[in-house]
Amino acid sequence: MIVLVSTYELGRQPFGLASPAAWLKRAGFDVTCLDLSRQSFDPSIAGADLVAFHLPMHTATRLAVPVIRRLRDLNPNVELCGYGLYAFLNASFLRSLGVSHLLGAESEADLVRLAMNKAPMTASEAGIQRLKFVIPNRDGLPPLTEYATLQDGAKRRVVGYTEASRGCKHTCRHCPIVPVYGGQFRIIPVDVVVGDLERQIENGAEHITFGDPDFFNGIRHARRVVQAVAKRFPGLTYDVTVKVEHLLQHKQVIPELRDTGCVFITSAVESFDDVVLERLQKGHTRGDIERAVDICQAAGVPIAPTFVAFTPWTTLESYRDFLTEIDRLELVNSVAPIQLGIRLLVTSGSPLLGLDDSDFRPGS
């Protein structure tokens, strides 16, 4: 038996379990998916042939630590694997906990190889692998009604989640995707995306979050996806994530998103301080942010900005300016409160570590 474990995926049904589950089941393996954000820990999984933790972010990794230790206590010989962005970025730490196998980007095929007792491909052997994607298998996961929902006016919508691409062709200095993908991204075929949505909609999904790091990395692919989805599922709403510079570059596409069901766009604004934006290598300026907000508001698709509110360069004055600008741009209702307190996280391999700046003190 192969057990796939998720500890945290932002309140969503974990795509990071559903996708590899499909690969493993296709290969003939008995697969159990355990989402610890919605399900209780099951001690019997310590007897599995392989227990693999999906580690897509820092929070998920920290929450996995006590579970890993408990499994080791229950069975010192349990075979453990970590996969996802933060497995790669925390390799030494995870190995110290007894995790034997660590997989980074595009890990589905390597999980199958591990299950077959074959060595996974290494980064030097395969680079970022090009997989032939399959429709995720969500059997055995808690129903979508147990996950985060979208309040759309007076209606509360059941939310599903999928991905139309992975990785990113940009190299923002603070982004955890960069040390893993190195500026590469992979497109998921439209028919696979539509197939995944069909299964989720059959199970109650009324709104879809596209989790691509940047939905406009491949603009032609993005347009094909939204056109196919709108045609196949009229009335379905969705949201996407798009860089500020792409909102400016492809502003003519924003009305098309609106017309195909997009109800808001998340964008990693990060800061209003041009000095900070340059150090993070975001590719946009304070003025660009205002233009992007205007474009989205004019098109009737609200922008939901995310921020790194506290960096080594944040001062009391700049933080006050940050709050003032959110109010001036009429974004108060579009900014989640957590965004006002997020601190810069410097990962292993981060380009920030090579930044020649006397004010930059990682860990301070």
Side-chain angles (χ1 to χ4, degrees), residues 221-271:
H221 175 64
R223 295 184 69 186
R224 286 194 292 267
V225 168
V226 299
Q227 289 164 5
V229 169
K231 181 178 180 181
R232 179 67 181 82
F233 312 110
L236 180 72
T237 60
Y238 66 90
D239 65 273
V240 297
T241 297
V242 182
K243 280 174 65 69
V244 168
E245 64 181 286
H246 282 169
L247 292 173
L248 300 181
Q249 182 181 359
H250 303 296
K251 61 183 179 181
Q252 75 281 1
V253 180
I254 309 304
E256 183 176 350
L257 295 186
R258 175 200 63 212
D259 294 342
T260 54
C262 186
V263 294
F264 68 90
I265 297 171
T266 299
S267 191
V269 169
E270 312 300 44
S271 175

Side-chain angles (χ1 to χ4, degrees), residues 77-332:
N77 297 317
V78 63
E79 195 85 355
L80 297 175
C81 171
Y83 65 99
L85 289 180
Y86 276 76
F88 179 87
L89 297 175
N90 292 280
S92 296
F93 172 65
L94 292 168
R95 288 193 188 282
S96 74
L97 298 176
V99 179
S100 302
H101 309 287
L102 296 163
L103 309 175
E106 310 303 301
S107 54
E108 285 91 340
D110 277 344
L111 279 167
V112 174
R113 291 176 64 87
L114 278 178
M116 292 179 171
N117 293 316
K118 296 179 180 180
M121 300 288 283
T122 66
S124 59
E125 290 172 333
I128 303 298
Q129 298 184 60
R130 293 188 178 275
L131 304 179
K132 188 174 181 179
F133 294 101
V134 301
I135 297 173
N137 187 312
R138 300 173 183 275
D139 296 345
L141 285 169
L144 290 173
T145 51
E146 294 190 17
Y147 292 91
T149 56
L150 174 71
Q151 188 70 41
D152 184 10
K155 180 178 176 60
R156 185 172 291 276
R157 293 179 178 265
V158 176
V159 177
Y161 174 92
T162 196
E163 296 174 358
S165 66
R166 303 200 296 205
C168 186
K169 66 182 182 181
H170 296 274
T171 54
C172 304
R173 285 193 176 111
H174 65 305
C175 180
I177 297 171
V178 175
V180 179
Y181 278 88
Q184 300 178 65
F185 80 111
R186 296 288 181 261
I187 283 175
I188 299 174
V190 174
D191 62 325
V192 173
V193 176
V194 171
D196 186 27
L197 295 192
E198 184 171 30
R199 295 183 182 182
Q200 293 185 72
I201 290 166
E202 288 174 353
N203 289 309
E206 301 166 297
H207 175 93
I208 295 294
T209 291
F210 284 94
D212 311 42
D214 190 327
F215 195 67
F216 281 5
N217 262 324
I219 188 64
R220 286 179 293 181
H221 175 64
R223 295 184 69 186
R224 286 194 292 267
V225 168
V226 299
Q227 289 164 5
V229 169
K231 181 178 180 181
R232 179 67 181 82
F233 312 110
L236 180 72
T237 60
Y238 66 90
D239 65 273
V240 297
T241 297
V242 182
K243 280 174 65 69
V244 168
E245 64 181 286
H246 282 169
L247 292 173
L248 300 181
Q249 182 181 359
H250 303 296
K251 61 183 179 181
Q252 75 281 1
V253 180
I254 309 304
E256 183 176 350
L257 295 186
R258 175 200 63 212
D259 294 342
T260 54
C262 186
V263 294
F264 68 90
I265 297 171
T266 299
S267 191
V269 169
E270 312 300 44
S271 175
F272 294 114
D273 187 326
D274 281 332
V275 173
V276 173
L277 291 170
E278 189 280 327
R279 285 167 173 160
L280 297 183
Q281 205 167 288
K282 278 302 300 176
H284 65 253
T285 65
R286 181 179 186 139
D288 291 336
I289 297 166
E290 182 167 2
R291 285 189 286 274
V293 170
D294 289 343
I295 288 168
C296 290
Q297 288 178 341
V301 186
I303 187 170
T306 62
F307 297 99
V308 180
F310 291 96
T311 74
W313 311 287
T314 301
T315 64
L316 181 59
E317 181 181 358
S318 69
Y319 190 75
R320 285 173 175 162
D321 178 66
F322 162 63
L323 298 177
T324 299
E325 192 69 355
I326 290 174
D327 181 58
R328 188 183 74 82
L329 294 176
E330 300 181 351
L331 294 171
V332 172

